[in-house]
Amino acid sequence: MIRSVVQGCGAYLPERIVTNAELAGKMETSDEWIQQRTGIRQRHIAAEGEFTSHLAIKAAQRALERAGLQGSDLDLIVLATATPDLTFPATATRVQAALGMTKGAAFDVQAVCAGFIYGLSVADSMIKNGLASTALVIGAETFSRILDWNDRGTAVLFGDGAGAVVLRAEHGEGTSHDRGILANALHSDGRQHDILYVDGGPSSTRTTGFLRMEGKEVFKHAVVNMAAVVGEVLDKAGLTAKDLDWLVPHQANKRIIDGTGRKLGLPPERVVVTVDRHANTSAASIPLALDVAVGDGRIKRGDLLLLEGIGGGLSWGASLVRW
Ligand code: UT7
């Protein structure tokens, strides 16, 4: 059977780092509150004139380099973002042009913090159906542009960044020992639309709007839905938590990450945590975390990884990947 096998990953973070202490100088918050409630110590913020596409292009170039491939080898780009450069066309087409890719298709998917899992699943399905053979999946965001800097309840939580993986069609045996994406699970529940949203858009207000969140409500759903979806994706692949080498979760809150790790019975050293350095970068958080753990040698070829994330919609999902 055809498997979508990861050939390389890459990431990019804007240069400017904003610490909790710097935010505490601008709004009524403290390093202590932010660290205790979320685990965040700092976040990267894009420079004036630095767009989501710029971050995405840099992450994509690094992923291609690690994969030993060029932009012209790609026949698919799926870019997960909730902060596109423009309302249209897809930010993915800017990345496509910059990488020198002239065949195939490039488009955006929008599932907010679950966007990378949605993007991986779409690319995996297209590869398995013969619609693509070499795909780039990117998560890239500039959430700093949609934050209400007067709302301390949300402004301290997010950061900017991008991460990417290159997938290539390869033949597998059809067993859980195959390298590549072994299973995906996706869900959304539109009844929870109003607990995490942006209060603007081209069709409603003609403005971009700001992020609004009922944090406690989202937290409750996150804990329950993450516990369910990690079990679901393991069942689909006929595996159990004991088979896992790494949990690479969406990085929104250390307490949610710890809860999911505990539910799986994984020791903390098997859970990749970057929320302290990157804060919540929405669709970029999982590939950014992947890049850190691959870069420092923790994640090795053949390891079994569980990726999971939840965000506005609500939308959530998980992917099981043999690296
Ligand atoms: O990526 C998409 C998914 N998003 C998430 O997963 C986020 C999920 N939610 C969370 O991570 C947490 O709910 C938050 C980190 C957003 C908030 O933590 P919490 O423990 O749920 O706190 P809270 O919102 O209930 O606020 C507790 C208190 C409030 O004060 P009172 O009413 O108890 O006096 C807030 O006004 O903390 C106050 N507060 C702050 N204090 C200092 C809220 N934000 C801040 C702040 N600094 N930045």
Side-chain angles (χ1 to χ4, degrees), residues 4-205:
S4 312
V5 178
V6 179
Q7 308 292 321
C9 66
Y12 178 76
L13 289 156
E15 259 170 49
R16 181 156 178 255
I17 292 175
V18 175
T19 61
N20 292 347
E22 185 176 338
L23 291 183
K26 292 182 185 156
M27 62 183 82
E28 208 176 309
T29 188
S30 66
D31 178 42
E32 192 194 1
W33 190 94
I34 300 171
Q35 286 213 43
Q36 270 184 6
R37 301 290 175 126
T38 70
I40 297 166
R41 287 188 289 112
Q42 60 173 48
R43 71 283 296 138
H44 291 249
I45 300 290
E48 189 84 17
E50 192 174 32
F51 305 153
T52 293
S53 62
H54 300 135
L55 310 186
I57 290 163
K58 286 185 172 135
Q61 285 166 336
R62 290 175 183 179
L64 282 168
E65 202 180 302
R66 299 235 179 88
L69 294 171
Q70 299 193 327
S72 55
D73 296 320
L74 297 169
D75 54 10
L76 176 66
I77 296 178
V78 183
L79 172 66
T81 189
T83 45
D85 288 11
L86 303 172
T87 300
F88 82 80
T91 301
T93 58
R94 275 203 164 148
V95 179
Q96 181 192 26
L99 297 179
M101 169 189 163
T102 49
K103 60 183 183 216
F107 59 89
D108 293 356
V109 298
Q110 214 274 52
V112 207
C113 301
F116 188 73
I117 301 291
Y118 271 63
L120 265 190
S121 305
V122 168
D124 183 36
S125 304
M126 289 179 70
I127 287 174
K128 289 199 172 117
N129 285 312
L131 277 165
S133 62
T134 310
L136 184 65
V137 181
I138 310 170
E141 303 277 18
T142 45
F143 259 51
S144 61
R145 306 267 153 74
I146 53 163
L147 293 178
D148 175 354
W149 291 97
N150 295 313
D151 175 15
R152 67 175 182 171
T154 54
V156 304
L157 303 175
F158 296 89
D160 301 334
V165 299
V166 178
L167 301 174
R168 200 157 208 189
E170 283 184 12
H171 284 282
E173 302 286 316
T175 74
S176 62
H177 298 291
D178 286 348
R179 286 187 67 218
I181 299 175
L182 302 180
N184 300 298
L186 299 181
H187 294 278
S188 38
D189 180 359
R191 292 171 300 178
Q192 310 303 333
H193 177 282
D194 294 345
I195 63 172
L196 177 49
Y197 66 105
V198 169
D199 62 3
S203 178
S204 54
T205 60

Side-chain angles (χ1 to χ4, degrees), residues 29 33 37-38 113 152 215-216 250 252-253 255-256 280 310:
T29 188
W33 190 94
R37 301 290 175 126
T38 70
C113 301
R152 67 175 182 171
K216 260 203 179 0
H250 169 51
N253 188 317
R255 291 186 285 146
I256 299 174
N280 183 347
I310 181 165

